[in-house]
Amino acid sequence: MRQQAYMAETENGSAEDPRSGSRFRALRDRWRDDPGIWRRGVVLAGLAVLLGLVMVLHAQIPNKIGNLGSLTETFLPWLGLFVPVLLVLALVRRSATALIALLVPAIVWLNLFGGLVTDKSGDGGSLTVATHNVNAENTDPEGTARQVAASGADVVALEELTADAVPAYEKALAPQYPHHSVQGTVGLWSKYPMSDTRPVDIQLGWVRAMRSTVATPAGDVAVFVAHLPSVRVKMNAGFTASQRDTSADALGEAIARDQVGRTVLLGDLNGTMNDRSLNAVSSQMRSTQGAAGDGFGFSWPASFPMARIDQILVKGVEPVSSWTLPRTASDHLPIAARVKL
C-alpha cells in the first residue's frame, strides 16, 4: 500500500523520488565529513600554482639556457591542457586544496587566451591577403597555387620557393595575378600594380625577404614578405633560434624605416606572437588573427597544427577577419586575412 501511494504521488508530481540526487548527497557528505580533504593534494596544489606562475611570468623565463623562454612561449597556449589533468587528479585525491589552487592557472589561461577562443571576425574590408609556406619539397606546386588563389585573395605571398618550382607557381597564378615578383626564395603575386619591389636584407647572406608597394584602389600599401630562419629543438643545445632572432631584428628595422604609412607583413616567421624574440616586429604591428580571427589559427604542422608560426601582421590598416585555409601539399597551412584600408 505504501509503495502504491508513493507511485501515485510521483505520477501526480506531488512527491520526489527519495533516490534522486542521492549519489550527489552521498558524495557531498563524503567530502564534508572527510577530515583530510584540506591536507591531501598539497603537491597537486603546488603544481597548479607553479603552472599558473609559468604562464603569467613566461616573459621572465631566461633565454640564456637553450632559449627556454622562447620555447615555452611558442607552445604557451598548450599549457592549459594541464588544467583538466590536474582537475581529474584533484578529484581522485578528493583534495579541496588542489581544487582551489587550480583556479590560479585556469584564470591566468583565460586572461591570456580566452579572447582568442571567440570569433572576432567582421564584415567588409577592402583588401584580402594570403600567405603560404609552400614547402621546398612540394610535389604539387600548381595545385597548391590554385588552392591558395581560390581564397579570393588580392595579394598572395609564397615562401620556400625553389628555382625549379617557380615556373609552375607562375603558370598557375598568372590568370588571376598579372603582377608578381620573386626575390630569392619568396614571392609576391598581386591583382594590382606593384612598384619599388626589392629584396630586404635580414642578415642571412641570401634572399628570404622582400617588399613591394601595391597600388590598391584604396591607396598604396607596403607589403613585406619574409621567411625567417628555421628553429630547432636539440637535446644538446635546446631551442636553437639565434639566427632567426637576428633576422627578426633586421626585419623589424626595415619595416620601421619604410616610408609608406600602411604596411602588411606576410610570411613564415618561425615563431608565435608570444615569442619575445620577435618583439622587433610584433611590437610595431598587429596580428590579424589576434585582432579579428576565429580561434588560435594554428598553421603548423599541417597534419596536426600546434602553433601559428605563419603570420599576417599589419600597421596603419584595420584587420577585419583572419582565417586558415584548407590544407595543401605543404607541411604548413595557408592563412588569409581581410583588412580595411
Side-chain angles (χ1 to χ4, degrees):
M1 290 293 293
R2 182 176 299 176
Q3 179 68 18
Q4 292 176 352
Y6 163 74
M7 293 179 60
E9 286 178 350
T10 51
E11 289 174 359
N12 294 330
S14 59
E16 294 183 358
D17 184 348
R19 294 167 296 179
S20 64
S22 59
R23 290 183 180 179
F24 172 76
R25 286 194 297 271
L27 180 62
R28 180 195 63 191
D29 294 341
R30 186 180 180 186
W31 280 59
R32 183 183 61 190
D33 299 334
D34 186 348
I37 193 172
W38 296 102
R39 295 194 297 270
R40 283 193 303 270
V42 175
V43 173
L44 289 177
L47 291 174
V49 173
L50 178 61
L51 177 61
L53 290 175
V54 169
M55 288 192 285
V56 77
L57 300 176
H58 62 85
Q60 308 306 317
I61 300 175
N63 259 343
K64 293 181 179 180
I65 303 175
N67 282 302
L68 182 60
S70 289
L71 177 60
T72 301
E73 290 165 340
T74 298
F75 300 102
L76 194 60
W78 291 95
L79 293 183
L81 291 179
F82 288 105
V83 174
V85 173
L86 291 174
L87 174 61
V88 171
L89 293 176
L91 291 173
V92 171
R93 288 284 292 153
R94 301 202 310 276
S95 170
T97 302
L99 289 174
I100 293 175
L102 271 173
L103 290 174
V104 175
I107 292 173
V108 171
W109 192 92
L110 288 173
N111 181 61
L112 290 174
F113 304 110
L116 293 176
V117 177
T118 59
D119 184 359
K120 300 175 292 299
S121 59
D123 299 324
S126 50
L127 182 70
T128 301
V129 297
T131 181
H132 190 25
N133 180 327
V134 294
N135 189 357
E137 299 177 0
N138 194 313
T139 57
D140 184 19
E142 290 190 12
T144 297
R146 285 193 295 268
Q147 282 184 253
V148 177
S151 67
D154 302 304
V155 176
V156 170
L158 301 181
E159 304 86 48
E160 210 166 293
L161 297 170
T162 63
D164 292 339
V166 165
Y169 289 109
E170 290 176 330
K171 178 182 178 181
L173 294 172
Q176 291 178 255
Y177 303 95
H179 311 279
H180 88 282
S181 174
V182 174
Q183 304 283 334
T185 61
V186 297
L188 186 65
W189 280 259
S190 172
K191 294 180 179 179
Y192 309 122
M194 297 165 49
S195 62
D196 195 14
T197 303
R198 61 181 186 270
V200 174
D201 182 10
I202 55 172
Q203 306 297 312
L204 282 177
W206 68 95
V207 179
R208 283 176 52 147
M210 63 176 289
R211 65 87 63 202
S212 184
T213 300
V214 178
T216 77
D220 289 351
V221 179
V223 179
F224 283 77
V225 184
H227 182 195
L228 298 187
S230 299
V231 296
R232 297 288 186 269
V233 180
K234 300 179 180 179
M235 293 300 293
N236 62 338
F239 192 59
T240 57
S242 59
Q243 185 59 68
R244 182 210 58 181
D245 299 346
T246 300
S247 293
D249 292 342
L251 177 61
E253 291 175 6
I255 293 172
R257 291 194 306 265
D258 202 84
Q259 298 300 306
V260 179
R262 295 181 289 194
T263 307
V264 176
L265 169 61
L266 308 169
D268 175 5
L269 303 188
N270 270 306
T272 69
M273 289 298 94
N274 295 313
D275 192 336
R276 75 195 71 171
S277 297
L278 299 183
N279 280 351
V281 176
S282 59
S283 63
Q284 59 178 313
M285 308 188 80
R286 298 175 68 192
S287 164
T288 58
Q289 186 67 25
D294 181 8
F296 289 94
F298 295 146
S299 63
W300 177 88
S303 57
F304 187 82
M306 296 183 64
R308 184 180 178 87
I309 62 175
D310 302 277
Q311 307 291 350
I312 299 177
L313 306 180
V314 298
K315 180 171 69 173
V317 304
E318 186 66 25
V320 174
S321 58
S322 186
W323 63 97
T324 56
L325 297 171
R327 185 179 180 181
T328 69
S330 172
D331 58 341
H332 291 242
L333 293 179
I335 61 175
R338 189 154 180 82
V339 299
K340 181 179 181 181
L341 302 178

Short mmCIF file of all heavy atoms in Angstrom, two decimals, residues 9 17 29 37 68 88 168 176 195 201 239:
data_model
loop_
_atom_site.label_atom_id
_atom_site.label_comp_id
_atom_site.label_asym_id
_atom_site.label_seq_id
_atom_site.Cartn_x
_atom_site.Cartn_y
_atom_site.Cartn_z
N GLU A 9 1.64 9.32 -6.00
CA GLU A 9 2.04 10.69 -5.74
C GLU A 9 3.06 11.17 -6.76
O GLU A 9 2.98 12.29 -7.24
CB GLU A 9 2.65 10.78 -4.34
CG GLU A 9 1.60 10.71 -3.23
CD GLU A 9 2.24 10.76 -1.86
OE1 GLU A 9 3.49 10.66 -1.79
OE2 GLU A 9 1.49 10.89 -0.89
N ASP A 17 11.23 11.52 -5.76
CA ASP A 17 11.87 10.23 -5.58
C ASP A 17 12.97 10.38 -4.55
O ASP A 17 13.89 11.18 -4.73
CB ASP A 17 12.47 9.77 -6.92
CG ASP A 17 13.08 8.38 -6.83
OD1 ASP A 17 13.24 7.88 -5.71
OD2 ASP A 17 13.40 7.84 -7.91
N ASP A 29 28.44 14.53 1.26
CA ASP A 29 28.66 14.18 2.67
C ASP A 29 30.02 13.53 2.86
O ASP A 29 30.68 13.74 3.89
CB ASP A 29 27.55 13.24 3.15
CG ASP A 29 26.19 13.92 3.18
OD1 ASP A 29 26.16 15.17 3.18
OD2 ASP A 29 25.17 13.19 3.17
N ILE A 37 40.47 16.34 3.78
CA ILE A 37 40.18 16.97 2.49
C ILE A 37 41.07 18.18 2.22
O ILE A 37 41.38 18.50 1.08
CB ILE A 37 38.68 17.37 2.43
CG1 ILE A 37 38.30 17.73 1.00
CG2 ILE A 37 38.37 18.51 3.38
CD1 ILE A 37 36.81 17.93 0.83
N LEU A 68 65.09 28.73 -23.52
CA LEU A 68 63.97 28.08 -22.85
C LEU A 68 62.73 28.99 -22.82
O LEU A 68 61.60 28.51 -22.94
CB LEU A 68 64.37 27.69 -21.43
CG LEU A 68 63.32 26.95 -20.60
CD1 LEU A 68 62.92 25.64 -21.28
CD2 LEU A 68 63.85 26.68 -19.19
N VAL A 88 41.30 16.35 -12.73
CA VAL A 88 40.95 14.94 -12.54
C VAL A 88 41.72 14.35 -11.35
O VAL A 88 41.16 13.64 -10.51
CB VAL A 88 41.24 14.13 -13.83
CG1 VAL A 88 41.08 12.64 -13.57
CG2 VAL A 88 40.30 14.58 -14.95
N ALA A 168 56.13 26.73 -62.26
CA ALA A 168 54.83 26.11 -62.03
C ALA A 168 53.91 27.06 -61.25
O ALA A 168 52.71 27.18 -61.57
CB ALA A 168 54.99 24.79 -61.29
N GLN A 176 45.07 35.03 -62.58
CA GLN A 176 44.43 35.89 -61.59
C GLN A 176 45.32 37.02 -61.10
O GLN A 176 44.83 38.03 -60.62
CB GLN A 176 43.99 35.06 -60.38
CG GLN A 176 42.84 34.11 -60.67
CD GLN A 176 42.48 33.27 -59.45
OE1 GLN A 176 42.79 32.10 -59.38
NE2 GLN A 176 41.84 33.89 -58.47
N SER A 195 55.19 48.29 -57.33
CA SER A 195 56.34 49.15 -57.62
C SER A 195 57.30 49.13 -56.44
O SER A 195 56.95 48.66 -55.35
CB SER A 195 55.89 50.59 -57.92
OG SER A 195 55.24 51.14 -56.78
N ASP A 201 67.23 42.88 -46.69
CA ASP A 201 68.36 42.20 -46.06
C ASP A 201 68.01 41.84 -44.62
O ASP A 201 67.82 42.71 -43.77
CB ASP A 201 69.59 43.12 -46.08
CG ASP A 201 70.82 42.45 -45.50
OD1 ASP A 201 70.77 41.22 -45.25
OD2 ASP A 201 71.83 43.15 -45.28
N PHE A 239 66.59 25.11 -27.63
CA PHE A 239 65.83 25.75 -28.71
C PHE A 239 66.78 26.68 -29.47
O PHE A 239 67.07 27.80 -29.04
CB PHE A 239 64.68 26.54 -28.09
CG PHE A 239 63.64 27.02 -29.06
CD1 PHE A 239 62.93 26.12 -29.85
CD2 PHE A 239 63.33 28.37 -29.16
CE1 PHE A 239 61.95 26.57 -30.73
CE2 PHE A 239 62.34 28.82 -30.02
CZ PHE A 239 61.66 27.91 -30.81
#
